[in-house]
Amino acid sequence: KTPVTLLRFIELSPRLIELLFLIHGDGHYKSKLFFVNKSPELHKFVLKEFENIFRLPQSAWKSRILLSDLSQNNYAKEYWKSSLDLKYSQFYNTSKSTLNTDSKGNLRIIIDKTLFSLIFRFVFDKIKIRMNKETALHALNGLLCAEGGAQIGKIGLHKITLSFSQQEKELFKEVLSKAGILNLCKEEQNSRFVIQGWTNLYSFFKILLSSGIIHFRFHSERRNKAIKGFLEHSFTKTMMKYLTSINKNNLSTLEEMSKLLKIRKDSILDTLRKEQYNNFVKIEGRGVNRNPFTISITKEGKEFLELISYLENFD
C-alpha cells in the first residue's frame, strides 16, 4: 500500500476550478480518476496542478497510450515519456483506439486510487454549489480547453464552440449563464454551444479579459487561433483603421479623416453610420461649412482599442 498525504484545507483558486472542469470535460472520476487528451500541454497542467494543489507527486500517476496504429507504439511511448518526463514503469500496455489517432496517439493518465475520485467529486460538488460569476468564468475556461474550439472562416474568426453530451448540457448551460455568456450563444445540432458573429465574439473576449481571464489559457493552439482569427477578421481591421485614426486626432472632421485615410468623405460617412459602429464612434454636426461633421471615439471605442492592443501583445 502506498500512503497518501492530503491537505486539511484546499484553497478555492482559479487554477483549481479550471483544473476540475478541464478533467470533467476530458476525463472521468466516478471510479478511478483519469484524464485523456492528445495535448502534452494539458497533461503537464494536470500533473503540475495536482502536485501543487493536492500534493500528489507525478510519480503516483500511471499512463496508457490509446493508439489506432499499434505499429507506432514505440514511437508514441518515447514521445509521451519525453514530453511529460515519465518513467517506463508508469506505462500500462498500449490499447488499440477505435478512433483514428496520429502516430503519437492519445494519452490517458490515471490515479489508481479510488480515494482520489472521491476527493475529486467532493471538491467538484462544492464548487458547483457555490458557483458565481467569477468561478463560472474560470469553470468555462476549463471546459473550453477540454471541449472548446475556434473555427476560422473566410473573413476571420468564424465561431467559438463548446461541445457537450446530453449528460453535460445542463451543467454547461449553468456555467455559461452565470458567466454572463449564455445570451451570446446558440445551440447547434443539440451537441454544442456556439458564439458566432463579430459583435458576439467581441463581447466574449471582452467579458473574459475584463475579469483578467485569457480564453483557452492552457491550450495555446486554440488560444492563438482564436486571437489571430479575431485580429485578422475583416471587420476588426476596418474598425482598427477608423478608430485608431479618430483616437490619435481626438476629434476629427470628416474632411481631415478623408485626407488622412485617402478615402472619400461620403464613403467614410456611409461606413461609420452603420449600426455596428454606433457604440464605438460619435458623429456630430450638419455637414455644412460653419457646422462640419465631427467624428469622435466613444468610451466603448477606447475599450475596443485597449482590448486589441492586449491581444496583439499577448505572449
Side-chain angles (χ1 to χ4, degrees), residues 33 73 159 187 267 315:
L33 178 68
N73 180 42
K159 55 185 167 183
E187 283 186 39
S267 179
D315 184 2

Side-chain angles (χ1 to χ4, degrees), residues 4 13 17 23 31 35 40 44 56 71 88 104 136 155 170 190 205 222 245 247 256 259 262 271 289 303 315:
V4 176
S13 67
I17 297 166
I23 292 176
S31 52
F35 174 72
K44 286 178 184 177
L56 183 73
S71 68
Y88 285 117
K104 301 182 290 289
I155 60 174
E170 289 308 312
N190 199 27
F205 284 111
R222 290 177 187 164
S245 170
N247 194 47
E256 290 169 340
K259 289 178 180 179
K262 295 181 172 55
T271 298
N289 288 337
E303 289 177 357
D315 184 2

Side-chain angles (χ1 to χ4, degrees), residues 243 279-281 297-306:
L243 292 186
N279 293 330
F280 302 96
V281 298
I297 189 169
T298 64
K299 180 184 176 185
E300 184 70 37
K302 289 181 180 292
E303 289 177 357
F304 167 79
L305 291 177
E306 289 172 1

Side-chain angles (χ1 to χ4, degrees), residues 121-168:
R121 291 204 303 271
F122 177 82
V123 177
F124 191 60
D125 287 343
K126 290 288 184 184
I127 290 173
K128 287 192 293 182
I129 291 170
R130 301 176 183 180
M131 193 179 297
N132 54 30
K133 180 170 184 176
E134 181 183 357
T135 57
L137 284 167
H138 290 293
L140 174 60
N141 217 15
L143 293 176
L144 284 170
C145 287
E147 303 286 358
Q151 294 186 19
I152 306 296
K154 292 181 180 179
I155 60 174
L157 181 61
H158 179 49
K159 55 185 167 183
I160 298 289
T161 61
L162 179 62
S163 300
F164 58 83
S165 67
Q166 291 308 303
Q167 294 78 20
E168 297 170 326

Side-chain angles (χ1 to χ4, degrees), residues 88-207:
Y88 285 117
S89 59
Q90 288 177 264
F91 284 89
Y92 290 130
N93 290 336
T94 299
S95 292
K96 184 168 178 60
S97 174
T98 55
L99 301 175
N100 187 26
T101 67
D102 61 20
S103 57
K104 301 182 290 289
N106 294 334
L107 187 72
R108 177 187 293 163
I109 52 175
I110 312 153
I111 294 293
D112 272 341
K113 297 179 187 296
T114 307
L115 175 61
F116 268 91
S117 63
L118 293 171
I119 294 168
F120 184 99
R121 291 204 303 271
F122 177 82
V123 177
F124 191 60
D125 287 343
K126 290 288 184 184
I127 290 173
K128 287 192 293 182
I129 291 170
R130 301 176 183 180
M131 193 179 297
N132 54 30
K133 180 170 184 176
E134 181 183 357
T135 57
L137 284 167
H138 290 293
L140 174 60
N141 217 15
L143 293 176
L144 284 170
C145 287
E147 303 286 358
Q151 294 186 19
I152 306 296
K154 292 181 180 179
I155 60 174
L157 181 61
H158 179 49
K159 55 185 167 183
I160 298 289
T161 61
L162 179 62
S163 300
F164 58 83
S165 67
Q166 291 308 303
Q167 294 78 20
E168 297 170 326
K169 182 176 180 179
E170 289 308 312
L171 174 61
F172 284 24
K173 205 169 182 178
E174 181 185 4
V175 170
L176 288 165
S177 177
K178 291 195 173 178
I181 289 177
L182 185 61
N183 64 314
L184 306 178
C185 302
K186 66 176 183 179
E187 283 186 39
E188 202 170 73
Q189 299 176 347
N190 199 27
S191 63
R192 58 182 171 266
F193 293 107
V194 175
I195 302 173
Q196 192 169 4
W198 189 91
T199 301
N200 288 335
L201 290 168
Y202 169 65
S203 297
F204 166 78
F205 284 111
K206 186 178 176 183
I207 289 170

Side-chain angles (χ1 to χ4, degrees), residues 6 36 38 41 43 49-50 69 78-79 81-82 92-93 113 123 144 154 168 187 190 201 216-217 224 236 261 283 313:
L6 298 174
V36 58
K38 65 178 181 180
E41 189 176 23
H43 281 290
E49 293 309 317
F50 261 91
D69 181 4
E78 289 301 321
Y79 172 82
K81 178 180 178 295
S82 173
Y92 290 130
N93 290 336
K113 297 179 187 296
V123 177
L144 284 170
K154 292 181 180 179
E168 297 170 326
E187 283 186 39
N190 199 27
L201 290 168
F216 301 110
R217 190 203 300 255
N224 295 337
T236 303
L261 298 174
I283 302 174
N313 294 291

